[in-house]
Amino acid sequence: MNRIVVLISGRGSNLGALLDAGLPVVAVFSNRPNVAGLELAQSHGVPTRVIDHRAFDGREAFDGVLADAIDAYTPDLVVLAGFLRVLTGAFVQRFAGRLLNIHPSLLPAFPGLNTHRRALEAGVKIHGCTVHFVTEALDHGPIVAQAAVPVLSGDTESLLAARVLAEEHRILPAAVRWFLEGRLRIEQDAVHLTPPPPLETSPLLNPMPA
Ligand code: GAR
């Protein structure tokens, strides 16, 4: 039986997508108290714990306690699902190769925060989301899956965010399932899925040529 620990900081809609997909989430940790994602986990009977980063003197202390708490659940995989803390190198090394993150942009474009606003400001026509293995370089690990959405004229940050979020909820459970099935292989910086999925033949173009 596989075991997944999920880290959140807020709403928990990506956590919800994992739970709805029937994936084996054994514990949820949040660095913030009273967030919606904690209630969601509890309503699915999943144990939760708040480890509030503000109670710690520095990142090392927080990450050390968090890592020990995670290890108590002996997870095969740790998923950052809207976990809005930068993790130390020691933490990342401890879970290397079994730590996935969902990020709301098509990496390597727009690492960091406010990705939807920055995409609108940059005038890109295609935006999206990425699931990647976490490495010490922020938002730069080997990419497992990406989904693209069009940026439409008249888009606001929240309209675009909602369009991207719907895709996050598709690619995160898929990537987690592939990991648990042992189908992901990292070579250099590229992740290969075996056996490969059926070839999609139509490229996504936006705007479409007339
Ligand atoms: C998601 O859009 C996720 O991609 C993003 O936070 C949101 C959390 O929503 N993560 C990051 O920005 C990490 N750098 P959720 O709590 O409803 O899943």
Side-chain angles (χ1 to χ4, degrees):
M1 175 67 172
N2 290 124
R3 302 168 64 80
I4 307 168
V5 168
V6 179
L7 308 189
I8 62 168
S9 297
R11 180 177 54 185
S13 71
N14 277 291
L15 166 67
L18 296 174
L19 292 168
D20 289 347
L23 289 160
V25 177
V26 295
V28 172
F29 293 93
S30 172
N31 66 310
R32 288 179 207 269
N34 306 317
V35 295
L38 289 167
E39 275 177 41
L40 181 69
Q42 286 153 13
S43 73
H44 281 77
V46 176
T48 61
R49 177 165 164 199
V50 175
I51 302 179
D52 191 334
H53 62 277
R54 293 170 299 190
F56 293 85
D57 223 4
R59 286 187 194 282
E60 286 75 12
F62 169 73
D63 281 13
V65 168
L66 179 62
D68 287 345
I70 292 170
D71 266 343
Y73 283 92
T74 59
D76 303 285
L77 177 66
V78 178
V79 179
L80 309 181
F83 184 69
L84 303 180
R85 293 283 302 167
V86 174
L87 293 162
T88 55
F91 183 99
V92 171
Q93 278 161 26
R94 187 153 156 183
F95 297 102
R98 55 191 178 111
L99 185 58
L100 290 178
N101 181 45
I102 176 88
H103 182 78
S105 79
L106 290 172
L107 292 174
F110 310 121
L113 296 175
N114 303 314
T115 55
H116 309 306
R117 186 167 79 218
R118 288 156 61 209
L120 287 172
E121 285 168 1
V124 296
K125 297 285 185 250
I126 302 280
H127 184 45
C129 50
T130 302
V131 177
H132 66 98
F133 282 100
V134 177
T135 59
E136 289 189 45
L138 183 69
D139 296 332
H140 273 291
I143 291 171
V144 178
Q146 295 187 301
V149 302
V151 180
L152 303 177
S153 82
D155 258 352
T156 61
E157 208 175 321
S158 64
L159 282 172
L160 184 55
R163 195 174 305 123
V164 171
L165 191 66
E167 298 306 313
E168 294 185 36
H169 296 164
R170 291 177 55 206
I171 64 170
L172 184 61
V176 165
R177 199 176 291 286
W178 292 334
F179 179 92
L180 295 179
E181 290 170 351
R183 294 178 61 189
L184 301 180
R185 188 168 41 83
I186 306 176
E187 239 175 55
Q188 314 270 351
D189 277 340
V191 179
H192 300 279
L193 174 64
T194 48
L199 268 188
E200 289 290 342
T201 47
S202 58
L204 173 58
L205 285 188
N206 175 54
M208 289 299 285

